[in-house]
Amino acid sequence: MRRAIVRGTGHYLPERVVENSWFEDKLDTSDEWIRARTGIERRHFAAEEQRTSDLGILAGRAALENAGLSADQLDAVIVATSTPDLTFPSVATMVQAGLGMRRGFAYDIQAVCAGFVYALANADAMIRAGLAERVLVIGAETFSRIMDWTDRGTCVLFGDGAGAVVLEAAEAEGASSDRGILATDLNSDGQYRDLLYVDGGVASTGTAGHLRMQGNLVFRHAVEKLADTAHHALDKGGLGPEDVDWLVPHQANLRIIEATAKRMQLPMDKVVLTVADHGNTSAASIPLALSVANAQGRIKPGQVLVAEAIGGGLAWGAVVLRW
Ligand SMILES: CC(C)(COP(=O)(O)OP(=O)(O)OC[C@H]1O[C@@H](n2cnc3c(N)ncnc32)[C@H](O)[C@@H]1OP(=O)(O)O)[C@@H](O)C(=O)NCCC(=O)NCCS
């Protein structure tokens, strides 16, 4: 059978770093509160002229370099984003052009913070079905553009950035010892739309809108659903929590990550953490964490990784892969 294996990773973070203390004279909040309730210490914000596609292009270029490939060796580009440059065309086609790729196809996936997990599952299915040999999968976001800067319950949480992974087809035995994506588990439940949404859009207000969230309710769903989806994905892959070398969680809140690891009975030294430095970068958070950990040489060939995320929709899911 065919599997989708990881050939390279890369990321890009905008230059501007904003510490928690930046919010202190604008809002009734403190560095201490933000650290204690979320684990976030700082985040990156894109420059005024930088768009989501610019971040995606830089992350994509870094992943191609890491993979030792050129853009014209790709068959497809998938970008997970909820903060596109324009209503259309897709960010993915802009990234395709920016990378100088003149063949293949490109499209966006919108599953908010679960977007990268959805995109990986999509690319995996595409590769296994023989529709593509090599796919560049990117998570890229500029959530700073949809913040309500007067809402202390949301604007301190999010940041901008992009991460990318190059997936490549490889022949495999169909066993849990194979390299590559072993299993995926996707879920959504639209009845929860009011817990986390943006109050604008093309067909409603004609504006981009601002992010609205009932944080404590999202928190409860996250803790329950993330461990469940991770377990389901492991089960489908013929593995158990004891086989996991690295949990690469969506970086929304350290307390959610700790609760998920605990439910999975994983020690925190098996968890990749970037939330302190990146904040919640939505669909970009998992590929950013993956790329940072890979660049640090922490992920070794043969190791088992579980990536999991939840976001607006609600939409959530997990991917199990062997490096
Ligand atoms: C947002 C979040 C950090 C708030 O923490 P919490 O412990 O749930 O806190 P609550 O929302 O219950 O609010 C507790 C108090 O803190 C206050 N508060 C909220 N944000 C604050 C801030 N930045 N600074 C200081 N106080 C703040 C609230 O107003 C509330 O005050 P009140 O009791 O006077 O009404 C937390 O709910 C969370 O992380 N939720 C998940 C969010 C998430 O990850 N979303 C993305 C998923 S993709």
Side-chain angles (χ1 to χ4, degrees), residues 46-124:
E48 211 172 315
E49 69 283 1
Q50 267 183 324
R51 296 182 174 199
T52 300
S53 63
D54 297 318
L55 277 50
I57 290 166
L58 292 167
R61 212 173 272 156
L64 282 171
E65 202 177 302
N66 183 249
L69 294 170
S70 62
D72 55 15
Q73 291 176 283
L74 295 170
D75 299 309
V77 178
I78 305 176
V79 175
T81 189
S82 304
T83 46
D85 301 17
L86 302 171
T87 301
F88 75 78
S90 64
V91 174
T93 54
M94 298 178 191
V95 170
Q96 183 189 27
L99 292 175
M101 176 184 163
R102 301 296 299 276
R103 56 181 294 277
F105 57 97
Y107 60 97
D108 289 357
I109 279 188
Q110 208 271 51
V112 205
C113 296
F116 191 75
V117 164
Y118 272 62
L120 273 186
N122 219 260
D124 173 50

Side-chain angles (χ1 to χ4, degrees), residues 296-319:
Q296 291 168 342
R298 293 165 73 194
I299 308 176
K300 310 282 185 222
Q303 288 189 324
V304 172
L305 280 67
V306 178
E308 40 79 344
I310 187 166
L314 296 174
W316 67 101
V319 174

Side-chain angles (χ1 to χ4, degrees), residues 29 33 37-38 113 152-153 213 215-216 250 252-253 255 280 310:
T29 189
W33 190 96
R37 306 306 293 167
T38 72
C113 296
R152 67 178 181 172
M213 178 170 71
N216 46 6
H250 171 45
N253 183 314
R255 287 157 56 220
N280 181 347
I310 187 166

